[in-house]
Amino acid sequence: MDVAKQVAAAYYTDRDVRTVGQAFLQAGGVLVRGRGQPIHANEKTVNAAFTKLQTEAARQQVEAAHKVQINAGAALAKRLMNAKPVEVTGIIRELAKHGNDPYFSAGFYNNLDEQHIETAMAQGGIPALVSAYSSGVLDKKVYEAVNTRLARPIQNVRFAVNLQDHYMTAAQKLQFLNSIGANPVAARNFADHLTSGQLRQLFYGPASEIPGLRGSLTNALTVAMWQQSGQPQARALMHKVSDGLFGDGAPKLTHNQMQQLIGPLMKFYSAGITQSLVPPPGNDPIALRRWAEGLGRQNGQDLGLFLKAANETGDEHELMKSMIQGGYVNVLFMPAGILAPELLVGNIAFTAGVGAMQSLYSSADPLTGLLDKLLPGGSHANTSLLNDHLAVGGLSLAVSSLISQGLVHPAGSNVPVKFGSDPVANAELVKKIIINGDDYSAGQKDFQGHQPPSITDLTHAYRDLELGEVNTALGNPDYEPPE
């Protein structure tokens, strides 16, 4: 007989019986009546109360388990705080055993001072720290300490004499940023707790001399962007990065430096445009035009500082060429994390929009000819080819979202075009509608007689506002985007 199993079963049975009793009381039932009187309550109300109580009990059980792990991590941190130099390696080995437990790791790092945080990182505790970043319970002081340590110059210490001699190497700083970039939840928490000032110090300060650090940092921020939960959060992160890297007082990148970074930076801003997309407002023709204008205005504002910085480094055609040669064109709008904007545009629509953008920028479409087809009349002459690329990506997703909601139809028809099961055909449909925008309309005629706008109308509404904001940035040496 398995006594342990019987005891466990009795415990859970007792717990569930008590939960049923609580649910019964919450549903208005009475447990004690006179002799012969029935005990009753509404069954649906009892079931609803029982489910709610079960959920709360499960939540409390999880929190209790997390607290146990946090306390265990704190106990190990206390050992490190009081350790002799020869004991440090063994303590970090013990920490490594819990590298997949974010709550143990958070309890450990939350209970270290700033110097001991770097000691742990320098002695092999980076995987546990990244795990702690994904917990959501890391103290603000840990984020501050890590950001400060990352930005510091590399210490040339050959060996450790005491705890104060433990410093992160260049390789360890890269290891941390690359590990953050491989963990989407950790990346989001890293970006959320990084100020624009700290970002600037890390990007331009002594640590920026580490080969690859800027690219690894930008990649981590891009992964974080794909984890933002909607327009306000995505735009806030774009603003923080733009202000930190290219805002007032920021150092100027050279043309060669921008050539190396243009691909990663375009991926970041492409993710930002995608994550800040808002769904179409419905069939109303006036609302649809305002929607397109709003998307254009916000994208122009969010891209202004970046495009201004790129423009100041030299030849934009060379930057675009280096980006194409770097292989970034076909991956710009592909999600680096698990949270693509399916809730806004639908998974099929997102895939179609990305496929259309990739097809539009394939080798079969010469770049200048493509831009002339999409943006006729020289409407893009005063801005950057980089901006045109991002604009086409944003338009592809916007048109795809309209199709997904049944809002696009051939001119003169009320029968909407639809996506099918073939992703290649869906992408070609989006591409066809973008290029032949006069032949398709969005929405319906309203009661006041306003005609539904063509896709060309919406494209120009988007581009006129977007271009206005970008030109303001390019033409104003003191440009700052609106808060």
Side-chain angles (χ1 to χ4, degrees):
M1 182 180 298
D2 192 332
V3 177
K5 285 185 179 180
Q6 287 199 356
V7 170
Y11 166 77
Y12 286 110
T13 299
D14 181 60
R15 185 193 66 182
D16 288 344
V17 168
R18 283 186 283 110
T19 303
V20 170
Q22 289 177 306
F24 189 80
L25 289 172
Q26 288 188 10
V30 179
L31 295 181
V32 180
R33 291 287 185 93
R35 180 175 296 177
Q37 291 182 311
I39 300 173
H40 64 84
N42 182 274
E43 182 178 358
K44 289 185 177 179
T45 307
V46 172
N47 288 337
F50 179 70
T51 299
K52 184 177 180 180
L53 287 167
Q54 272 193 321
T55 301
E56 177 61 20
R59 184 189 65 80
Q60 291 178 355
Q61 189 175 8
V62 170
E63 286 184 352
H66 290 169
K67 188 174 182 180
V68 170
Q69 294 305 100
I70 289 170
N71 290 339
L76 187 63
K78 185 177 180 180
R79 285 175 53 194
L80 181 62
M81 292 286 287
N82 297 299
K84 297 176 182 179
V86 295
E87 299 172 328
V88 171
T89 301
I91 292 173
I92 300 303
R93 271 202 298 263
E94 180 65 26
L95 173 66
K97 296 177 183 178
H98 302 273
N100 294 324
D101 185 340
Y103 295 94
F104 183 99
S105 300
F108 177 80
Y109 278 99
N110 282 346
N111 286 276
L112 298 179
D113 60 23
E114 188 170 332
Q115 178 58 58
H116 284 82
I117 288 173
E118 185 163 16
T119 291
M121 294 177 73
Q123 294 299 301
I126 288 175
L129 178 60
V130 173
S131 179
Y133 265 68
S134 68
S135 70
V137 298
L138 208 56
D139 288 346
K140 181 180 179 180
K141 70 171 188 177
V142 181
Y143 292 112
E144 293 292 326
V146 172
N147 293 340
T148 299
R149 256 41 193 186
L150 285 174
R152 281 177 48 177
I154 300 300
Q155 302 294 320
N156 295 316
V157 179
R158 296 181 61 187
F159 57 89
V161 177
N162 52 48
L163 285 180
Q164 282 66 43
D165 291 326
H166 291 138
Y167 299 102
M168 277 189 292
T169 65
Q172 287 170 333
K173 293 188 179 189
L174 281 174
Q175 179 194 357
F176 174 77
L177 290 173
N178 289 333
S179 298
I180 285 288
N183 185 320
V185 177
R188 184 193 65 210
N189 288 327
F190 169 73
D192 288 349
H193 291 86
L194 191 68
T195 68
S196 59
Q198 290 170 336
L199 178 58
R200 181 175 297 184
Q201 178 64 17
L202 186 54
F203 199 81
Y204 293 107
S208 68
E209 298 177 5
I210 301 172
L213 183 135
R214 284 172 170 162
S216 294
L217 173 60
T218 306
N219 175 68
L221 294 171
T222 302
V223 174
M225 179 62 81
W226 285 114
Q227 297 299 302
Q228 300 306 307
S229 56
Q231 185 197 50
Q233 293 82 0
R235 294 200 68 194
L237 181 53
M238 273 198 287
H239 183 85
K240 177 167 38 179
V241 171
S242 294
D243 183 57
L245 301 191
F246 311 117
D248 185 39
K252 303 299 182 185
L253 293 170
T254 67
H255 184 68
N256 288 339
Q257 289 171 331
M258 184 61 84
Q259 273 192 317
Q260 296 173 7
L261 292 168
I262 194 66
L265 286 170
M266 289 283 280
K267 287 178 72 174
F268 171 79
Y269 285 102
S270 296
I273 288 174
T274 301
Q275 293 299 86
S276 60
L277 182 69
V278 294
N283 279 312
D284 182 80
I286 302 300
L288 282 169
R289 285 188 178 91
R290 289 175 179 169
W291 170 74
E293 290 172 348
L295 289 179
R297 182 185 296 108
Q298 77 175 34
N299 286 346
Q301 292 172 352
D302 294 334
L303 296 172
L305 283 176
F306 161 59
L307 293 170
K308 177 179 172 64
N311 186 64
E312 291 173 348
T313 65
D315 187 349
E316 67 193 33
H317 294 267
E318 284 298 315
L319 292 174
M320 176 62 85
K321 181 181 177 182
S322 68
M323 188 186 74
I324 292 173
Q325 290 173 340
Y328 283 98
V329 168
N330 282 341
V331 297
L332 275 186
F333 283 82
M334 294 307 290
I338 60 172
L339 295 182
E342 284 95 351
L343 294 179
L344 290 177
V345 300
N347 184 49
I348 293 176
F350 180 70
T351 303
V354 171
M357 189 275 297
Q358 292 174 339
S359 178
L360 286 165
Y361 275 89
S362 69
S363 59
D365 289 296
L367 188 63
T368 54
L370 167 67
L371 295 174
D372 287 340
K373 284 188 292 183
L374 292 182
L375 309 167
S379 60
H380 64 286
N382 296 321
T383 189
S384 165
L385 288 173
L386 304 175
N387 182 48
D388 287 321
H389 180 89
L390 290 165
V392 170
L395 284 169
S396 296
L397 293 174
V399 170
S400 191
S401 70
L402 289 168
I403 296 172
S404 72
Q405 295 197 20
L407 297 175
V408 178
H409 50 85
S413 169
N414 289 323
V415 180
V417 297
K418 295 181 180 180
F419 287 129
S421 59
D422 183 350
V424 175
N426 291 338
E428 286 301 309
L429 175 63
V430 176
K431 178 181 175 181
K432 176 184 176 182
I433 290 172
I434 291 174
I435 293 177
N436 302 287
D438 289 335
D439 298 334
Y440 295 88
S441 299
Q444 296 177 355
K445 183 179 178 179
D446 66 11
F447 293 114
Q448 287 76 38
H450 297 114
Q451 294 294 329
S454 69
I455 297 301
T456 299
D457 292 335
L458 296 183
T459 296
H460 283 299
Y462 173 97
R463 286 292 283 143
D464 287 349
L465 273 294
E466 196 266 355
L467 185 61
E469 293 292 338
V470 169
N471 280 343
T472 300
L474 294 174
N476 181 359
D478 300 318
Y479 175 80
E480 288 293 331
E483 292 288 344

